[in-house]
Amino acid sequence: MQLSWWKILTIILLFYVVIGGMLMPIPHVDINDETSRNLYYHVPMWFGMTLILTVSMVYAIRYLKKPTELNDLYSVEAANVGILFGILGIVTGMIWAQYTWGTYWHGDPKQNASAIFLLIYLAYMVLRGAIQDNQQKAKIAAIYNIFAYATMIPLLFILPRLTASLHPGNGGNPGFNIYDSDGKMKLVFYPAVIGWTLLGWWIVTLRVRMNLLINKYKEQMLEKEVEVS
Amino acid sequence: MKKIILFCLGFSFIASHTFAQQKNNLESLMRSNGKIYVVVAVLGVILVGIFGYLWTMERKLSKLEKEIQNQH
């Protein structure tokens, strides 16, 4: 039972974010109404995704320097959870867009760019599945991981700001600060980013431990086969 | 296990009479403030479900890790 301090912190923060996020007062804006509260759930999915994918890239670089099983496991599981957060971010964004912007998808540059970004990482998973040999798989995947990560800044942060976008902070729109006129939303938003990101990391560590056990089990089975024959 | 279930059923049957008063307060609370408390309750259940899953995963993995360590 690896009950670390940051896991307990995750539980406390997320209960605070859910209960406080729903019940604490927020400044009300015309079209958004109560949906501004999505700031505590939709946006941290993206913050969490970028943070966890950054860790995935760091472990990819580490793997290239020192090819251990652990480095590769952290890299791939962090990429998995990053993709999960990205998918959740897109789906929750679509729901929010339908009832505030009028359609689930209207070709908003940030929506399109984030979809492309996710496709690039899904290709990473396809790449891993296509190679049989473990060490080759890990090396090629690590190299791809670094290039995939490099597409993040132009796709998610530069492109939407250059063209007409409805997202706050992009396409000439004022940043979200204008919706948080009394600064109270920061009280729940910052813990939300920390809480959701830590939750993602918790899932990464669990999956890494699980895969380590599976690999050890496979090794033991192989040893037994060799002994018997 | 059976004893526990039977006990819970019997207790809730008897206690539901005394809970009538508290149930009314819970009803009116959940319907107040635009029923936002319903949303809070839903999200709370989801969170408890997620953390419960993570908890059981932690326990299973720790058990397996100890087993594999002991085998070596």
Side-chain angles (χ1 to χ4, degrees), chain A residues 137-205:
Chain A
K137 170 195 301 196
K139 190 192 276 187
I140 296 183
I143 298 173
Y144 183 84
N145 191 327
I146 299 172
F147 282 107
Y149 183 81
T151 63
M152 181 193 288
I153 296 194
L155 276 178
L156 294 185
F157 301 117
I158 300 185
L159 185 63
R161 276 163 218 222
L162 293 178
T163 54
S165 164
L166 279 181
H167 271 94
N170 301 288
N173 297 328
F176 210 87
N177 276 326
I178 200 178
Y179 302 116
D180 184 20
S181 39
D182 52 7
K184 284 224 185 84
M185 295 185 85
K186 293 199 181 91
L187 266 184
V188 183
F189 177 63
Y190 290 150
V193 171
I194 300 175
W196 289 112
T197 306
L198 282 181
L199 179 70
W201 186 247
W202 189 351
I203 299 177
V204 169
T205 55

Side-chain angles (χ1 to χ4, degrees), chain B residues 3 6-7 19 22 25 36-37 45-46 56 62-63 71:
Chain B
K3 279 191 190 160
L6 277 177
F7 175 75
F19 282 169
Q22 285 154 306
N25 289 338
I36 190 68
Y37 295 116
V45 166
I46 291 178
T56 48
S62 298
K63 214 170 53 157
Q71 274 186 10

Side-chain angles (χ1 to χ4, degrees), chain A residues 1 7 18 202 209 220, chain B residues 43 58 61-62 65 71-72:
Chain A
M1 190 75 236
K7 292 179 185 168
V18 159
W202 189 351
R209 283 163 64 190
Q220 284 187 355
Chain B
L43 294 171
E58 285 269 357
L61 287 178
S62 298
E65 279 163 354
Q71 274 186 10
H72 276 254

Side-chain angles (χ1 to χ4, degrees), chain A residues 1-3 7 10-11 14-15 18-19 22-23 196 199 202-203 206 209-210 213 216-217 220, chain B residues 36-37 39-40 43-44 47-48 50-51 54-55 57-62 64-65 68 71-72:
Chain A
M1 190 75 236
Q2 290 183 17
L3 202 60
K7 292 179 185 168
T10 308
I11 300 179
L14 283 182
F15 272 111
V18 159
I19 299 178
M22 287 286 122
L23 298 180
W196 289 112
L199 179 70
W202 189 351
I203 299 177
L206 281 180
R209 283 163 64 190
M210 180 182 78
L213 283 173
K216 276 206 187 106
Y217 177 75
Q220 284 187 355
Chain B
I36 190 68
Y37 295 116
V39 180
V40 176
L43 294 171
L47 275 190
V48 167
I50 292 178
F51 290 134
L54 291 178
W55 191 269
M57 283 293 279
E58 285 269 357
R59 276 177 40 203
K60 257 194 206 169
L61 287 178
S62 298
L64 284 173
E65 279 163 354
I68 285 211
Q71 274 186 10
H72 276 254

